[in-house]
Amino acid sequence: DPCEFRGEGARAVPLAGHVGFDSMPDQLVNKSVNHGFCFNILCVGETGLGKSTLMDTLFNTKFEGEPTQHNQPGVQLKSNTYELQESNVRLKLTVVNTVGFGDQINKEDSYKSIVEFIDTQFEAYLQEELKIKRTLHSYHDTRIHACLYFIAPTGHSLKSLDLVTMKKLDSKVNIIPIIAKSDAISKSELTKFKIKITSELVSNGVQIYQFPTDDETVAEINSTMNGHLPFAVVGSTEEVKIGNKMVKARQYPWGTVQVENENHCDFVKLREMLIRVNMEDLREQTHTRHYELYRRCKLEEMGFKDTDPDCKPFSLQETYEAKRNEFMGDLQKKEEEMRQMFVQRVKEKEAELKEAEKELHEKFDRLKKLHQDEKKKLEDKKKSLDDELNGFKQKKTAAELLQSQAQQAGGSTTLKRDKERKK
């Protein structure tokens, strides 16, 4: 029997002739080349560490951009997308730069804007996935595939800002630490610096990206390169003539540093590992590890689960109905609470109005009684004045009577005197 059993029911069957499915890899290659590729790099590091220069050197081009200022109020992320073509392969490259990182006096929240930016790209992709009519084949994927973390060439140890930021990012993006401007420290100091950085990353539980060793074709080179992390790099787009050829280099009074000379720096190792060997793995890790973690956490927050309490499959419709019922229940509960609150407020307002009405009645009664008292006083005073007026009139009448009597008596006396004089 030519059949051989492998695994659970799988067997290898020899074919009697050529069928043609061995052309599937070619079909995939042609389709991918026609569609093009995308790759997104996040450059994190303090201002002045040569992030833009390194990008220009990596892709052998001159990207647009201006030097950033040091007076930024906070960390801002600036994203630029470029269409590159090499041979017949097209690459949509997005370079995201952290503007003002490390420039603030208070660096406590420097990492937050970076985390928010990465989560925003994940959220955009998740929303596209959840649409009824999806267009993922033409969707511009902006998820960050690689984070180049630029470490200042101090020669001592990592800064607290570096440790905190990498710790916050390691579950969201593939971190590749690199020592920027490594020609600023000596070779012996550089070796000790690499060991110190690796030790601090391990002791603080920071998970950096490890080049994969499960593929036999790249296992050996990736295993070797994992031992060289973090890469010590130098970037330059300036070409200098060395011997009979032009090379990218940096000229100093004491000599020349060749960017693509592995005895001078690890730039070639970085370019080899990042672009030529592991670019697809970085894209795959972003989707299968970091994005899946974000997606799972986000859907769990929304109430979606794979199984119910009885470990049975949970359909999307059932999950939707359950969440809808839960939402409607919460809505009804809130409506009832608002209604009870409204009734309580109405009762309180009615009590306040009744109390105010009672106070008004009491005030009215007091004013009415006061008015009656004042009226009585006025009537008494009027009566007293009337009595005085009557007494005054009586006295006046009596006085007038007395005056008239006195005038009459005086007149008779005068007549008598006149008569006596005549006699």
Side-chain angles (χ1 to χ4, degrees):
D1 188 358
C3 298
E4 233 174 75
F5 288 91
R6 295 182 180 177
E8 296 181 0
R11 59 184 181 177
V13 180
L15 303 177
H18 182 259
V19 177
F21 58 77
D22 58 352
S23 66
M24 284 187 67
D26 298 329
Q27 296 176 33
L28 290 174
V29 169
N30 294 333
K31 184 177 179 180
S32 299
V33 169
N34 292 332
H35 185 263
F37 302 90
C38 73
F39 191 63
N40 307 317
I41 299 178
L42 170 65
C43 298
V44 181
E46 298 180 21
T47 307
L49 286 180
K51 300 185 290 294
S52 300
T53 303
L54 185 66
M55 288 297 102
D56 293 346
T57 313
L58 270 174
F59 293 95
N60 197 24
T61 186
K62 178 63 179 175
F63 296 120
E64 58 187 18
E66 298 178 356
T68 58
Q69 302 297 323
H70 292 266
N71 55 357
Q72 299 290 337
V75 180
Q76 301 175 357
L77 280 88
K78 187 176 181 181
S79 177
N80 291 304
T81 301
Y82 309 95
E83 294 279 354
L84 304 181
Q85 184 164 351
E86 188 175 21
S87 299
N88 64 332
V89 178
R90 292 179 294 108
L91 177 67
K92 182 178 285 187
L93 175 68
T94 300
V95 179
V96 183
N97 199 358
T98 51
V99 179
F101 183 78
D103 289 342
Q104 293 75 34
I105 295 176
N106 183 4
K107 302 178 179 62
E108 185 178 357
D109 298 332
S110 295
Y111 68 89
K112 287 187 177 179
S113 57
I114 304 175
V115 172
E116 289 173 0
F117 180 85
I118 296 173
D119 285 344
T120 300
Q121 313 317 310
F122 284 155
E123 182 66 25
Y125 192 87
L126 178 60
Q127 292 300 324
E128 184 65 26
E129 274 193 337
L130 295 177
K131 286 182 179 179
I132 297 175
K133 295 182 179 180
R134 299 182 297 177
T135 55
L136 292 175
H137 63 281
S138 60
Y139 175 75
H140 179 206
D141 188 2
T142 57
R143 295 174 297 176
I144 301 300
H145 299 124
C147 171
L148 295 182
Y149 196 95
F150 289 69
I151 301 170
T154 60
H156 294 285
S157 61
L158 287 171
K159 298 180 181 180
S160 299
L161 175 63
D162 297 331
L163 286 171
V164 170
T165 305
M166 281 194 275
K167 185 63 179 175
K168 296 292 183 180
L169 296 179
D170 64 355
S171 62
K172 297 180 177 295
V173 71
N174 301 312
I175 300 176
I176 302 176
I178 58 177
I179 302 171
K181 296 186 176 180
S182 61
D183 53 342
I185 52 178
S186 66
K187 194 170 184 178
S188 59
E189 289 177 337
L190 184 59
T191 303
K192 294 177 183 178
F193 192 31
K194 282 189 175 185
I195 296 172
K196 182 68 174 176
I197 290 173
T198 304
S199 175
E200 288 185 342
L201 291 176
V202 172
S203 61
N204 286 277
V206 179
Q207 300 291 327
I208 64 173
Y209 175 73
Q210 294 290 320
F211 302 119
T213 56
D214 51 354
D215 187 353
E216 295 179 358
T217 58
V218 294
E220 184 177 353
I221 185 172
N222 280 348
S223 179
T224 303
M225 290 303 168
N226 281 330
H228 287 282
L229 289 171
F231 291 135
V233 299
V234 177
S236 175
T237 56
E238 179 184 356
E239 291 193 346
V240 179
K241 189 173 184 179
I242 304 293
N244 296 325
K245 61 179 181 178
M246 301 295 291
V247 296
K248 292 183 177 67
R250 294 181 69 89
Q251 285 186 312
Y252 296 96
W254 45 263
T256 303
V257 176
Q258 299 177 33
V259 172
E260 295 180 330
N261 189 334
E262 294 195 49
N263 293 322
H264 292 185
C265 69
D266 296 333
F267 173 79
V268 173
K269 294 184 179 67
L270 174 64
R271 184 176 62 189
E272 191 80 11
M273 292 297 97
L274 180 67
I275 300 174
R276 298 181 181 176
V277 178
N278 298 302
M279 180 181 277
E280 183 57 31
D281 184 73
L282 287 164
R283 287 157 42 88
E284 183 181 350
Q285 285 291 322
T286 298
H287 182 77
T288 60
R289 181 186 171 193
H290 301 296
Y291 170 69
E292 283 298 321
L293 176 62
Y294 175 85
R295 179 178 177 274
R296 185 177 74 234
C297 294
K298 198 70 177 179
L299 292 180
E300 285 177 352
E301 288 178 5
M302 296 168 64
F304 293 97
K305 299 178 182 178
D306 292 332
T307 57
D308 59 11
D310 299 330
C311 296
K312 295 180 180 178
F314 220 39
S315 69
L316 183 64
Q317 182 66 25
E318 291 175 352
T319 304
Y320 169 76
E321 291 295 338
K323 290 300 295 182
R324 185 176 183 278
N325 293 334
E326 182 182 351
F327 174 77
M328 294 302 294
D330 292 340
L331 183 62
Q332 290 177 358
K333 184 178 179 181
K334 288 182 179 180
E335 287 180 352
E336 182 64 23
E337 290 176 355
M338 291 179 67
R339 191 181 68 81
Q340 293 293 338
M341 186 180 295
F342 177 75
V343 171
Q344 183 66 24
R345 291 283 178 86
V346 169
K347 289 181 179 179
E348 292 175 357
K349 198 67 177 178
E350 287 179 351
E352 291 178 1
L353 290 174
K354 287 181 179 179
E355 187 67 23
E357 185 180 4
K358 183 179 179 182
E359 291 179 357
L360 285 174
H361 280 300
E362 291 176 353
K363 188 175 181 180
F364 176 75
D365 292 340
R366 287 195 301 271
L367 290 173
K368 185 177 180 181
K369 184 178 179 182
L370 182 63
H371 175 70
Q372 290 175 352
D373 293 342
E374 292 291 333
K375 185 178 180 181
K376 185 177 180 181
K377 287 180 181 179
L378 287 173
E379 289 176 351
D380 293 342
K381 194 169 184 180
K382 181 181 179 183
K383 184 179 179 182
S384 176
L385 289 173
D386 289 340
D387 293 341
E388 290 182 2
L389 183 61
N390 292 331
F392 176 76
K393 287 180 178 180
Q394 290 177 2
K395 288 180 180 180
K396 182 180 179 182
T397 304
E400 289 177 351
L401 182 60
L402 288 173
Q403 187 177 6
S404 62
Q405 291 177 355
Q407 287 178 355
Q408 289 178 1
S412 60
T413 304
T414 303
L415 288 173
K416 286 180 179 182
R417 287 177 181 175
D418 291 336
K419 286 178 178 181
E420 288 177 354
R421 286 175 183 175
K422 288 178 179 181
K423 291 178 177 182

